[in-house]
Structures are given as C-alpha cells and as structure tokens.
Amino acid sequence: MQTLGALEAGGTKMVMAIFSDDGTMQDRVSIPTMEPETTMPEMIRYFASNHVSAVGIGCFGPLDLNPDSSSYGYITMTPKLPWRMYPLLPTFQKELQVPIALDTDVNGAALAEARLGAARGLSSCVYVTVGTGIGGGVIINGKPVHGLMHPELGHQLIAPCPDDPSPDGFCPYHKGCLEGLASGPAIQKRWGISAKELPHDHIGWQMEADYLAKMCVSAMMSFSPEKIILGGGVMQQSFLIPLVRRKTLNYLGGYISSPVIDNGLEDYIVPPALGVNSGITGAYLLARQALDSQSHPD
C-alpha cells in the first residue's frame, strides 16, 4: 500500500500528515515555522522516514505556480522574510525524489471543500480563511484557479468603514486591503485586544462583518461561485457568519436573483464542513493528483 505525504505550510506552523491510499490519515504532526535552514530538514526527514510515494503541499504565498518560470515552485514576495524567494518545490523534489504537487494553502483547502466538504457536488466555490492573514482559494469547473499567479483575495482593496479609526489598515504592501483591515492582527492593532477577547457587542465586529461582506459581494460578482466558505481563527466566533450574511444581502441590494439569496444566504455563505482539516486534506488531494499525473501523464 502506498503512503502519501501532505504538508499544510503556514506562517506560524507547518502541519504534516501521512495518508493511506484510501484517504485515511495515519499520522499528523506540526512544528513551528522557523527559518528554512531549521524547518526544511525536519520536514524532509519526516516524509523520507515514512517512505511516501508522493507529497502534496498547500503553502502560504505568494507562490510562483507557472511551470515555465525560472522560479517555479518558489515562495516569492512574502512578508516572512527568511522565506522570500525560497525554492520550496525544487528543494523537496531534490531531496525526496517523488512526485510533488504544490498550490496555495487556500486553493488546497478550497479543493478539499469542493471534493469532500461544504461544496461537494458543486463545480465552483470560494474558500476564504480569516486569521493571521486572509487568503482565498477559488475553484472553477472543479479546478483551482491559476493565471498570472493565483487568487489573492486578501489583498483586494476594500472601501473602509466611515467610523474605522484605522482606515488604511495595517498591510505593509497596500493601504486599505482586506487583510490589512480584517485579519486577526488588524483587529488586535486597531482595538488593542485580540479577536478572541473582543466582546461580542463591540463595534469592531460590525466592522469585521462589513469588510467580509464586501469581500463576499466582490467574489460573487467576480467569480459567481456556487458556495462561499469562510474559515480560519477569526471565523470561530459563531455569531460572525450570520452577521456577514445579513450585511452581504444589504450590499447586494437585490441585484442577484437566486433561491440562495431568497434563503438569506444560509446555505451559501457557510463554515468549512471539514473544519480545521480542510487545509491538510487539500494537501492530501494534491499528493493524490501528483501520483496520478505520474501514472497517467498528459
């Protein structure tokens, strides 16, 4: 029986898992994300010692996913400076000598939710994680979207709330982008208190829902997905998704006619069905894809 390796590479921690052929998770470990010189050897040892037949990687971005590029498989202009322009895919390929597939962590999570989770049976969805950063994966016709690079929903520009005391946000690259306005660190910096501790009736949650609703409307108008899935640490507040739905309906202004709109978006803007396992499950599906591609090349 073949074993498949899965890596959900995050800015805070690296989650690694071993899956059997049938998708059963056999083992799961996590290590802190340090500089590459410390982190990479430990991950390589883990996969090598488990004799994996293929590896799937869902990684924080931005990434170069153009196979014709000289920096294909590199982490590019990440604010995590030790990892900037790091050859992630080439390094794993050289050391492990097995088929490897790489995509963004959120594209991987979106793929998992599309195949096995909240968007199962649909041909399109958008998955957005709201936590230390904000990232979005897009599935169209059953496949993750790539193009000039890959979707970066967290860095779309958003109109600030009139009463936001920090209307420029806190992104080092852009003024007024979604991540700079609505990520966990943005909440902490704006109000001096973490999202976990922010009272439910604090105005900050109205702003948070407002920014996420604007993102949902933008995603609906841009991609017309059949489902929007909101995950990540900030979304653990149970009252937040219903608030986002109400504000999204308000911003839509009756423009879209659909049964899901008439239902108040209750079955349209939803939490991930796979919970915290969306990302690692997506990495497993990428490993499966890498193995299948080797067996059945185009």
Side-chain angles (χ1 to χ4, degrees):
M1 179 180 290
Q2 293 175 316
T3 57
L4 302 178
L7 168 61
E8 183 182 6
T12 303
K13 63 181 178 180
M14 299 288 188
V15 180
M16 297 170 285
I18 301 298
F19 286 80
S20 60
D21 260 344
D22 64 0
T24 302
M25 190 186 300
Q26 303 290 344
D27 186 57
R28 177 181 177 137
V29 299
S30 66
I31 61 173
T33 302
M34 308 295 284
E35 69 282 354
E37 293 76 13
T38 300
T39 309
M40 286 297 293
E42 193 167 348
M43 294 192 293
I44 289 165
R45 279 194 298 270
Y46 176 79
F47 291 125
S49 66
N50 281 283
H51 308 290
V52 295
S53 300
V55 176
I57 304 172
C59 183
F60 63 87
L63 305 173
D64 186 342
L65 298 177
N66 179 3
D68 296 325
S69 170
S70 60
S71 56
Y72 173 54
Y74 282 51
I75 300 171
T76 59
M77 299 305 292
T78 175
K80 304 167 183 63
L81 295 181
W83 291 88
R84 183 172 290 184
M85 296 311 299
Y86 183 78
L88 184 72
L89 179 60
T91 301
F92 273 118
Q93 288 173 326
K94 177 183 177 182
E95 296 296 332
L96 295 177
Q97 297 292 307
V98 298
I100 301 175
L102 170 70
D103 211 324
T104 64
D105 49 355
V106 282
N107 260 352
L111 184 64
E113 290 292 331
R115 299 270 180 88
L116 303 169
R120 188 171 186 171
L122 304 177
S123 66
S124 64
C125 70
V126 168
Y127 174 95
V128 179
T129 182
V130 186
T132 304
I134 296 180
V138 180
I139 302 294
I140 302 292
N141 294 327
K143 296 181 179 180
V145 169
H146 298 153
L148 179 65
M149 47 181 294
H150 48 75
E152 279 285 1
L153 300 187
H155 291 278
Q156 63 182 285
L157 303 184
I158 297 287
C161 294
D163 48 356
D164 190 338
S166 305
D168 288 343
F170 302 94
C171 175
Y173 290 99
H174 315 112
K175 287 185 178 181
C177 76
L178 180 64
E179 181 171 292
L181 290 166
S183 66
I187 294 172
Q188 173 89 43
K189 290 175 182 177
R190 181 184 289 110
W191 306 116
I193 188 171
S194 71
K196 288 182 179 179
E197 300 171 304
L198 198 67
H200 290 187
D201 59 354
H202 194 282
I203 190 176
W205 289 118
Q206 295 292 327
M207 288 186 189
E208 183 72 10
D210 190 273
Y211 290 135
L212 295 177
K214 289 172 180 173
M215 179 276 298
C216 287
V217 171
S218 179
M220 293 170 76
M221 301 302 182
S222 300
F223 305 113
S224 196
E226 295 163 280
K227 189 92 63 172
I228 295 177
I229 303 156
L230 301 181
V234 171
M235 302 308 304
Q236 298 303 309
Q237 308 288 337
S238 61
F239 61 87
L240 186 53
I241 284 185
L243 192 55
V244 172
R245 290 181 187 132
R246 290 196 294 273
K247 288 181 176 287
T248 299
L249 283 170
N250 182 60
Y251 280 124
L252 285 172
Y255 184 73
I256 297 178
S257 177
S258 169
V260 299
I261 305 296
D262 299 337
N263 195 34
L265 302 176
E266 288 189 11
D267 298 319
Y268 186 76
I269 299 176
V270 299
L274 300 176
V276 297
N277 289 318
S278 299
I280 199 67
T281 303
Y284 155 72
L285 292 173
L286 291 171
R288 178 88 266 163
Q289 173 185 307
L291 196 60
D292 292 345
S293 296
Q294 184 190 56
S295 303
H296 306 285
D298 293 335

